[in-house]
PDB file of all heavy atoms in Angstrom:
ATOM      1  N   SER A  44     -16.431   4.256  18.978  1.00 98.00           N
ATOM      2  CA  SER A  44     -17.852   4.140  18.739  1.00 98.00           C
ATOM      3  C   SER A  44     -18.220   3.610  17.327  1.00 98.00           C
ATOM      4  O   SER A  44     -19.312   3.170  17.048  1.00 98.00           O
ATOM      5  CB  SER A  44     -18.588   5.472  18.911  1.00 98.00           C
ATOM      6  OG  SER A  44     -18.367   5.953  20.201  1.00 98.00           O
ATOM      7  N   PHE A 131     -15.650  23.388  19.376  1.00 96.00           N
ATOM      8  CA  PHE A 131     -15.008  24.121  18.312  1.00 96.00           C
ATOM      9  C   PHE A 131     -15.736  23.925  16.957  1.00 96.00           C
ATOM     10  O   PHE A 131     -15.820  22.820  16.458  1.00 96.00           O
ATOM     11  CB  PHE A 131     -13.547  23.709  18.183  1.00 96.00           C
ATOM     12  CG  PHE A 131     -12.712  24.134  19.357  1.00 96.00           C
ATOM     13  CD1 PHE A 131     -12.691  23.404  20.521  1.00 96.00           C
ATOM     14  CD2 PHE A 131     -11.976  25.284  19.317  1.00 96.00           C
ATOM     15  CE1 PHE A 131     -11.984  23.799  21.621  1.00 96.00           C
ATOM     16  CE2 PHE A 131     -11.230  25.715  20.362  1.00 96.00           C
ATOM     17  CZ  PHE A 131     -11.251  24.971  21.560  1.00 96.00           C
ATOM     18  N   ILE A 169     -26.089  -1.604  16.807  1.00 98.00           N
ATOM     19  CA  ILE A 169     -27.405  -2.088  17.243  1.00 98.00           C
ATOM     20  C   ILE A 169     -27.466  -3.639  17.234  1.00 98.00           C
ATOM     21  O   ILE A 169     -28.349  -4.208  17.818  1.00 98.00           O
ATOM     22  CB  ILE A 169     -28.590  -1.512  16.434  1.00 98.00           C
ATOM     23  CG1 ILE A 169     -28.402  -1.781  14.921  1.00 98.00           C
ATOM     24  CG2 ILE A 169     -28.751  -0.031  16.715  1.00 98.00           C
ATOM     25  CD1 ILE A 169     -29.648  -1.409  14.105  1.00 98.00           C
TER      26      ILE A 169
END
Side-chain angles (χ1 to χ4, degrees):
S44 301
F131 290 84
I169 55 170

